[in-house]
Structure formats: C-alpha cells, structure tokens
Amino acid sequence: MDSWIVAYDISDPKRLRKVATACEDYGVRKQKSVFLCRLSATDFVRLRSRLYDLIHLEEDQVLFLPLCGKCVTAIEAIGRPTEAHDVRDVVIVT
C-alpha cells in the first residue's frame, strides 16, 4: 500500500460533496479538502477513475501527491491534533 495526499479544488458545491464522499471512501480527512489515503495500486486506479468521472476538467482540480513511508511518519501538525495515518485502517479476515 502506498500513501497519497489527495487534495482538491472543486468549483461546484454539488460536485464538491461527491468528490469529498469518494475521498472519504478511500482515506482519512486531514483538512476540508485534503485527505491522506493508503491505497493499493488497484485502489489508486479506482479512486482516480471515480474522481475523473465526477469533476469538470476545465473547472476543477484534484492533486495526487505520493508520500514515502518515512514522509508519512514525519507529518507534523500545529493546532488541532491529527490522527496517526493508519488509525482507521481496517483489516478484513475471512
């Protein structure tokens, strides 16, 4: 699993809600339009494709910023505390 910062600037409130919901399905919200996502290669493609279908390419922007493992553990916050990057990870055993 790779870690990504997903940040967006969406001009329409309706699209904004849909983009936020998609990101919530794959990551942890760090700020209003910034998510930390731990994604497999397949999940990265799925999220990118889903967001591509939601946004207007001429008006909106989504950034995918890769983070190395060392970078993720070095994230610092000033102000409100932030959750550890893997605090919401879920493991399903069948």
Side-chain angles (χ1 to χ4, degrees):
M1 301 259 276
D2 295 320
S3 294
W4 296 85
I5 293 288
V6 179
Y8 51 81
D9 183 16
I10 309 298
S11 61
D12 177 72
K14 186 176 180 181
R15 286 195 311 273
L16 176 67
R17 283 188 297 279
K18 290 179 181 179
V19 167
T21 298
C23 290
E24 287 171 346
D25 289 345
Y26 287 89
V28 176
R29 184 186 297 269
K30 292 299 182 179
Q31 293 186 358
K32 290 189 183 216
S33 61
V34 179
F35 285 79
L36 178 58
C37 302
R38 292 186 43 157
L39 304 169
S40 66
T42 301
D43 284 339
F44 177 79
V45 171
R46 287 180 180 152
L47 176 58
R48 189 179 185 285
S49 176
R50 185 170 166 187
L51 294 175
Y52 184 90
D53 291 341
L54 291 174
I55 71 169
H56 286 186
L57 299 177
E58 307 80 30
E59 301 174 20
D60 305 327
Q61 183 183 60
V62 178
L63 299 175
F64 295 90
L65 307 164
L67 292 176
C68 68
K70 183 178 178 182
C71 296
V72 170
T73 59
I75 292 174
E76 292 185 33
I78 298 175
R80 292 181 295 110
T82 185
E83 293 179 356
H85 70 282
D86 61 352
V87 81
R88 292 191 185 172
D89 282 352
V90 176
V91 177
I92 299 173
V93 179
T94 58

